[in-house]
Amino acid sequence: SQTSTILGAELGAYLSQHLTGHITIGLGWGDTLSKALPCIVPRQAEGIRVLSLLGGLTRLSSVNPSEFAWRVADRLAAECHLMTAPVFAPDPSTQEALRHHPGIAEIYSRARMLDTAIVSAGALTRNSLFYEYGLLSREEIASLEAAGAVGDVLCHFMNEDGEIIDHPVNERVVAVNPADLRGAREVILVSGGWHKIKAISAAMRLLQPSVLIVNEHVAERLALSGP
């Protein structure tokens, strides 16, 4: 969408201006973040490390988290750490086993001490990416709605107060808990669109971002609603 393209360009410009060498960057996923790629000025700064903060899709798409992290790392000539697992495990015990895999456990550990975390908020709708790419069934999406979910950050579903809800889907997700990103020196939240107002507001409560990139109408609405 045009909104995603504009916000992605703003993110790309921000990163091009502010990134330095010897930093660790954690990345989420989504169409808006992917739109930043062409706008990130390639560089050869030393010591940049990129972490994908969530597992990948088993069906290839333009917004596959692993692909996005690899492409960002390529533009920054950075070392890349991928969460080489499906973003949703079939059950909690498999999720637990994957989390303790040495390479994946290292990402979880490093994610608590990032220099920069870049994430987006997703709205929970019946036609969301989760359903489109076969990650969740319509029944699971309806169950999340019934449990009070308004959206997600890093595929962790949250209520309007920015709390990760107690739900079986959240017990299967192979992704860093967004609350763990609060230890980052800088958290950048990038999202836009009327349909994401509740999700963005909840994500702000959850993440307490230091940089917010949204479209004008969302910014006005958030300013009116207050903290």
Side-chain angles (χ1 to χ4, degrees):
S1 72
Q2 185 177 10
T3 297
S4 294
T5 301
I6 292 170
L7 295 179
E10 288 295 326
L11 173 61
Y14 179 87
L15 294 178
S16 298
Q17 293 168 16
H18 291 84
L19 289 185
T20 61
H22 302 286
I23 59 172
T24 301
I25 306 164
L27 295 176
W29 77 313
D31 184 54
T32 302
L33 298 189
S34 296
K35 295 287 175 59
L37 277 168
C39 304
I40 298 174
V41 177
R43 62 180 59 208
Q44 299 293 324
E46 292 185 0
I48 298 180
R49 178 184 285 119
V50 170
L51 309 180
S52 179
L53 298 175
L54 69 167
L57 308 182
T58 54
R59 207 164 86 203
L60 186 63
S61 82
S62 61
V63 291
N64 196 331
S66 299
E67 178 82 358
F68 173 60
W70 180 84
R71 287 181 181 274
V72 171
D74 184 53
R75 292 189 79 84
L76 299 177
E79 178 182 304
C80 188
H81 295 249
L82 298 179
M83 189 90 76
T84 49
V87 71
F88 287 106
D91 52 64
S93 60
T94 304
Q95 185 256 27
E96 188 70 15
L98 287 168
R99 282 192 58 160
H100 286 90
H101 179 281
I104 295 176
E106 180 184 1
I107 293 177
Y108 278 93
S109 177
R110 290 185 183 277
R112 294 176 179 271
M113 303 172 290
L114 295 172
D115 293 291
T116 300
I118 305 167
V119 295
S120 185
L124 182 63
T125 66
R126 302 297 172 93
N127 298 309
S128 69
L129 288 175
F130 295 104
Y131 180 74
E132 182 182 347
Y133 292 119
L135 299 173
L136 299 175
S137 67
R138 288 196 186 276
E139 291 74 23
E140 286 173 316
I141 291 172
S143 176
L144 284 162
E145 288 178 328
V150 297
D152 81 284
V153 173
L154 296 178
C155 298
H156 285 75
F157 291 92
M158 57 192 172
N159 62 24
E160 62 183 9
D161 294 323
E163 300 163 338
I164 304 297
I165 65 170
D166 183 9
H167 191 278
V169 167
N170 280 339
E171 295 175 2
R172 296 194 292 110
V173 65
V174 183
V176 170
N177 190 312
D180 290 342
L181 301 181
R182 291 177 183 168
R185 288 199 298 115
E186 177 182 60
V187 177
I188 303 173
L189 175 62
V190 190
S191 273
W194 278 115
H195 65 295
K196 288 189 177 182
I197 289 282
K198 285 186 177 180
I200 295 170
S201 180
M204 289 179 66
R205 292 184 173 94
L206 172 61
L207 295 166
Q208 300 167 15
S210 43
V211 177
L212 179 65
I213 300 177
V214 295
N215 57 303
E216 186 177 358
H217 292 308
V218 170
E220 289 172 353
R221 178 70 176 270
L222 292 173
L224 288 172
S225 63

